[in-house]
Amino acid sequence: MPTVHPVDEVPPIRQLAAYALQHVLAMYAGAVAVPLIVGGAMKLPAADLAYLITADLLVCGIATLIQCVGFWRFGVRLPIMQGCTFAAVSPMVLIGTTGGGLPAIYGSVIVAGLAIVLLAPVFGRLLRFFPPLVTGTVILIIGLSLLPVAGNWAAGGQGSKDFGEPRNLALAAFVLLVVLAVQRFAPAFLSRIAVLIGIVVGLAIAVPFGFTDFGGVGHADWVGISTPFHFGTPVFHASAIASMLVVAVVTMTETTGDLIAVGEMTGRRAEPRSLADGLRADGLSTILGGVFNTFPYTAYAQNVGLVGMTRVRSRWVVAASGGMLVLLGLLPKLGAVVAAVPAPVLGGAGLVMFGTVAASGLRTLAGVDFRGNHNLTVVAVSVAVGMLPVGVPTVYEKFPDWFQTVMNSGISAGCLTAIVLNLLFNHLPSKAGSAVLEADGLVRGGGEEGVEEPREEIV
C-alpha cells in the first residue's frame, strides 16, 4: 500500500481545527490591512470599510481553497495561504483617489487577474532560473523583509497612539517566551500549535490589562454577504490597467518565491507545471477579487514561516483555514472577535514565524558551494537590494510609479537581482569563453542545461 505524502495527509479533526486556526490568526492582521489602508485613503464611510473587510475575508478563504485543494489546472495543491497583496496598495490608492474610485480599481484588478492566468505558463517555465543559490536567497529575503512587520506589531501596531510603549514590547516578549517554552517542553502535538497557544495565552493576559476590548463585537452584524459589483460596474481606464499589470508581474514574482519556499519545506518541490497551476490560481482569485469588491491576491509569506516552524505540511490544514476565512467573511461578528487580538500578541508570534522563513533560506543556502566562485557576491548584493526598501522605505520616492511598484517590494527587488546576478556570474560564458563554476561547485558550459541542473542535484 503506497504511503501518503505528508502534504496530502489529513490530521484528526481536533488537530486539524487547531492547526487551521493558527494559520488564520497568523495572517488575519495582514489580510484586513489592505482594505483598511485603501478604504481609509479614499475616506470611505465606516459601513463601506466594514464591507470591504468582510468581502476580503470571504475571497481570501475561497482563494486559499482554490490554491490548496485545486481543480483542473488551478491550484498548486500545497499548504499556501492566500491574501491581498501589499504591492497593489500604492497604485490602488492613486487610482481610487484620482482616477475613478473603486470601479476603476476593480476594472484594473480584473484585467490584471486575466493577465496572470495567461502568463502563468510562461512563469512556470522560468523555474530553471531558480537553482538553490537563487531560491535560498529569495527565501532569506522573504523572512528578513517580514521581520519589520513583526516589529511594528510588537510595538503596538503602526500608527497606534501607544506605539513603542514598554508594556507593548513586554507583552510581545511574553508571547514569544510562551511560544518558545511550548516548543521546547510541551508534547509533540502541543509544540505544533505553539503559536496558537502563545496567542491565546497572550490574549488572556491582554484583556485584563486593557490592551484590547471586545466592544466592537456587539456592533458587528451576524451575517454579511458580499454581492458582485457592490460599488458599481467596473470601469476600465488604460492608465489604471497599466499600473495594475506592473503589480501583476510583481505578485507573480513574489508568489513564485513563496511556492518554491513551501515546496522546499514540505518535500514536494514546485515543478514548472505545478508552479504554473499555482500562479493560475492567483489570477483566478484576483479576478474574483475584482468581481466581489476586493483586491489582487497572492501567497502569504507569514504562513510560509508557520509551515516551516510547526513542520505541519498538510495542505488540508490550510484548506480548513480557508473554510474558516469564508465563515469570517459571511459572519462579521466572528471576524470582530478575531480582530480584537492586540497587535503586540501577534508581534511576539510573528518574530518566531518570520525568523523561521529567514532560517529556512539559510538552510537552503547551506547546500550551495561558495568556494572558488562568485556565489557569495550574488547572495550579498541580492540581500542588500532586497533590504534597501525595507530599511529605507522612501528610497525610491523620486522614481516613476512603475519603478516604485517593482522596487518598493523587497521580495521582488531581491528576487530579480538574484536571478540576474546568477545568470551573469554562473551562466554567461566566462572571460575565457569556456566553462563556468555552477552553484553546486561543478564546472559546466554556459547553456540552459547548467541553469537547470543545480536544482535537480541539491537536496
Side-chain angles (χ1 to χ4, degrees):
M1 183 177 175
T3 56
V4 178
H5 193 283
V7 168
D8 298 317
E9 285 182 349
V10 182
I13 188 68
R14 189 179 301 173
Q15 296 180 16
L16 182 76
Y19 295 153
L21 179 58
Q22 191 169 232
H23 273 283
V24 170
L25 292 172
M27 63 82 69
Y28 188 91
V32 301
V34 174
L36 279 174
I37 294 168
V38 175
M42 294 177 63
K43 297 180 170 53
L44 296 179
D48 286 347
L49 272 179
Y51 194 96
L52 285 179
I53 291 170
T54 53
D56 175 32
L57 293 173
L58 175 65
V59 181
C60 273
I62 294 170
T64 299
L65 286 167
I66 294 172
Q67 196 67 275
C68 295
V69 179
F71 68 94
W72 191 50
R73 297 297 304 278
F74 292 86
V76 71
R77 296 165 176 84
L78 286 172
I80 291 286
M81 202 85 178
Q82 297 285 108
C84 280
T85 174
F86 283 86
V89 168
S90 295
M92 288 192 302
V93 167
L94 191 64
I95 296 166
T97 53
T98 64
L102 287 172
I105 292 177
Y106 294 139
S108 64
V109 167
I110 290 170
V111 174
L114 289 169
I116 293 171
V117 171
L118 295 174
L119 289 173
V122 177
F123 260 72
R125 288 194 289 272
L126 295 179
L127 193 62
R128 67 176 183 269
F129 297 111
F130 286 85
L133 173 65
V134 174
T135 59
T137 304
V138 171
I139 297 168
L140 175 61
I141 292 170
I142 290 171
L144 293 177
S145 64
L146 285 171
L147 284 172
V149 176
N152 280 320
W153 287 347
Q158 203 159 22
S160 63
K161 293 178 181 177
D162 62 346
F163 186 85
E165 288 287 341
R167 73 187 207 122
N168 289 338
L169 295 168
L171 178 58
F174 173 74
V175 172
L176 174 59
L177 289 174
V178 170
V179 172
L180 294 176
V182 172
Q183 271 210 304
R184 174 64 181 86
F185 300 109
F189 165 65
L190 291 179
S191 71
R192 287 176 174 168
I193 56 169
V195 169
L196 177 59
I197 292 172
I199 290 173
V200 170
V201 173
L203 187 58
I205 296 295
V207 173
F209 281 93
F211 282 91
T212 188
D213 67 75
F214 293 93
V217 177
H219 300 294
D221 295 330
W222 277 106
V223 179
I225 299 174
S226 178
T227 53
F229 308 128
H230 174 79
F231 294 99
T233 305
V235 176
F236 301 93
H237 290 168
S239 58
I241 290 169
S243 62
M244 206 55 67
L245 288 175
V246 175
V247 170
V249 174
V250 172
T251 57
M252 291 178 82
T253 306
E254 293 181 347
T255 297
T256 297
D258 290 330
L259 296 183
I260 291 172
V262 171
E264 299 276 350
M265 291 174 180
T266 59
R268 179 178 282 177
R269 295 189 174 204
E271 301 298 336
R273 179 181 171 120
S274 61
L275 178 59
D277 291 348
L279 292 170
R280 206 176 277 112
D282 258 18
L284 176 59
S285 303
T286 298
I287 294 170
L288 290 175
V291 172
F292 286 95
N293 320 294
T294 179
F295 307 114
Y297 284 85
T298 187
Y300 258 28
Q302 46 262 59
N303 295 86
V304 174
L306 194 55
V307 171
M309 177 189 157
T310 62
R311 299 184 295 281
V312 176
R313 295 179 279 178
S314 171
R315 63 190 172 106
W316 298 106
V317 165
V318 181
S321 303
M324 289 181 179
L325 286 172
V326 170
L327 278 177
L328 291 175
L330 295 174
L331 304 173
K333 202 171 281 291
L334 279 180
V337 172
V338 177
V341 177
V345 172
L346 295 174
L351 288 170
V352 188
M353 293 188 301
F354 303 161
T356 301
V357 179
S360 298
L362 293 176
R363 183 175 61 188
T364 301
L365 288 172
V368 176
D369 190 353
F370 290 97
R371 295 167 297 178
N373 54 37
H374 298 287
N375 289 340
L376 198 63
T377 302
V378 174
V379 176
V381 176
S382 302
V383 171
V385 172
M387 289 298 98
L388 192 57
V390 176
V392 190
T394 58
V395 66
Y396 297 122
E397 67 176 8
K398 304 294 185 187
F399 284 74
D401 289 340
W402 67 267
F403 186 90
Q404 291 187 50
T405 301
V406 176
M407 298 303 289
N408 274 343
S409 165
I411 297 171
S412 64
C415 182
L416 293 171
T417 305
I419 292 170
V420 170
L421 292 182
N422 179 56
L423 290 174
L424 176 66
F425 285 113
N426 288 328
H427 298 293
L428 291 180
S430 63
K431 291 177 182 176
S434 55
V436 189
L437 265 174
E438 288 295 339
D440 57 5
L442 301 180
V443 178
R444 298 193 182 91
E448 282 194 1
E449 274 183 87
V451 186
E452 290 188 70
E453 289 183 12
R455 182 169 177 79
E456 302 298 326
E457 295 186 10
I458 297 220
V459 180

